Amino acid sequence: MECSNPQCNHPVVYAYPKFKIHIRVQDPTGTVTLTLFESDASKLLHKTANELMENQDEWDEGLFPDELDTLLGKKTRFQE
């Protein structure tokens, strides 16, 4: 991708996809929404966001890679 701004000092701009996955967790006491970012999401999925994008034939809004289905119903523990 080339920078089209005439004031741009850099001829090429690179964009890298990153994860930002919202996960809703619930138990009998309530519900909370957590956000998984690149480092944690790639550990759970065993792939980076860039790898998922490379494997997709086409991207339609509202469609998600099948690999994200592995998070459904999964039990895990998060700690600092």
Side-chain angles (χ1 to χ4, degrees):
M1 177 184 292
E2 290 194 27
C3 182
S4 59
N5 183 341
Q7 298 174 347
C8 185
N9 293 329
H10 305 285
V12 179
V13 176
Y14 295 101
Y16 297 99
K18 297 289 183 187
F19 284 118
K20 182 179 177 186
I21 303 171
H22 298 281
I23 295 182
R24 188 176 341 170
V25 179
Q26 69 184 71
D27 69 7
T29 62
T31 303
V32 65
T33 300
L34 305 173
T35 303
L36 290 178
F37 291 102
E38 181 72 21
S39 61
D40 293 321
S42 61
K43 287 176 190 173
L44 287 173
L45 297 171
H46 306 290
K47 288 189 177 185
T48 64
N50 194 43
E51 290 171 327
L52 288 181
M53 294 229 13
E54 288 174 354
N55 292 334
Q56 290 296 112
D57 292 331
E58 60 182 63
W59 280 92
D60 289 326
E61 192 170 324
L63 295 179
F64 299 96
D66 293 336
E67 288 86 351
L68 293 180
D69 288 342
T70 61
L71 298 176
L72 296 175
K74 188 172 195 167
K75 292 182 181 183
T76 188
R77 181 178 74 182
F78 297 97
Q79 64 186 60
E80 293 182 40

